[in-house]
Amino acid sequence: MNATDFHLYIDSADIAQIEACLPHPVVHGVTTNPTLLRRAGVARAAVPGLLARCIERGARQVQAQVCSAEADGMLEDALDLLRHFDHGQLVVKIPATRQGLQAGAHLIAQGVPVTWTAVYALEQAHFAAQLGAAYAAPYLGRLDDSGVDGLARIAQMQALVAQAPAPRTRLLVASVRSRDAYLALLQLGVGAITIPPQLFDALMDHSATLEAERGFLADAAAC
């Protein structure tokens, strides 16, 4: 992978917030999880419709999470979600548990893109790369909250993922709370970041640029 392979996701289940960011050429897709869905008041049965609307608005991929703790239930959840989408549009998110690794490996063998999420340990990132995941998702802010140097831990994960003989697993870093954190992750070379809509606004709208634009428009109008 090279710099042009970077994937930026919007992390939200609030359709109004999502549609304020889409369509935009820098946005690859939308990530969700059960917590975001609960906060947005989106029922489980409404998830496919929400994600289909994201694709209609320009998302190239969307991500939804299974809601079972056992591998068989995870696979049932995944198949129920996948039937609503064309191949490759939906990435199935699965917690990086013992059961989750089993279920995800089965899906990958069937050609389904998988994100192992809630990745906190180095070996979890290694297993994700070893098994051919599309993404492994560590949480920067939550790592910091737990007393770990989150950026250092993610740098170690990135090094492990990059060591794979044919690297195809991107770290998809979540729980990114500031522009500085986003830029620091880019410096590490991570392959994907998912951010809340509010941070997207901070990355897009720079006061000095907007002020310069106002000056240019005023001068253009005076010509």
Side-chain angles (χ1 to χ4, degrees), residues 134-213:
Y135 303 93
Y139 301 156
L140 175 60
R142 293 190 191 182
L143 282 166
D144 288 334
D145 292 345
S146 72
V148 172
D149 183 335
L151 203 61
R153 177 67 57 84
I154 289 169
Q156 292 173 309
M157 291 181 183
Q158 178 62 25
L160 282 174
V161 167
Q163 288 173 6
R168 57 177 173 165
T169 300
R170 295 175 175 84
L171 288 189
L172 172 59
V173 184
S175 190
V176 180
R177 299 169 179 169
S178 70
R179 176 173 172 268
D180 286 344
Y182 179 86
L183 295 175
L185 290 167
L186 293 183
Q187 290 293 318
L188 294 182
V190 301
I193 300 174
T194 185
I195 59 173
Q198 297 85 350
L199 183 53
F200 183 72
D201 291 343
L203 296 174
M204 289 287 106
D205 303 322
H206 296 278
S207 58
T209 303
L210 295 173
E211 178 61 29
E213 180 189 49

Side-chain angles (χ1 to χ4, degrees), residues 17 19 37 42-43 45 58 63 80 83 105 110 123 138 143 154 166 170 186 194 199 203 222:
Q17 292 183 341
E19 290 186 331
L37 292 164
V42 178
Q63 301 204 15
D80 186 55
R83 65 188 176 88
Q110 304 303 312
E123 56 268 31
L143 282 166
I154 289 169
R170 295 175 175 84
L186 293 183
T194 185
L199 183 53
L203 296 174

Side-chain angles (χ1 to χ4, degrees), residues 92-166:
V92 178
K93 292 177 69 177
I94 303 178
T97 62
R98 183 186 298 238
Q99 293 289 311
L101 289 170
Q102 289 182 346
H106 180 84
L107 290 170
I108 291 167
Q110 304 303 312
V112 175
V114 167
T115 293
W116 274 300
T117 191
V119 169
Y120 284 88
L122 297 178
E123 56 268 31
Q124 292 173 316
H126 167 72
F127 292 148
Q130 180 186 29
L131 294 171
Y135 303 93
Y139 301 156
L140 175 60
R142 293 190 191 182
L143 282 166
D144 288 334
D145 292 345
S146 72
V148 172
D149 183 335
L151 203 61
R153 177 67 57 84
I154 289 169
Q156 292 173 309
M157 291 181 183
Q158 178 62 25
L160 282 174
V161 167
Q163 288 173 6

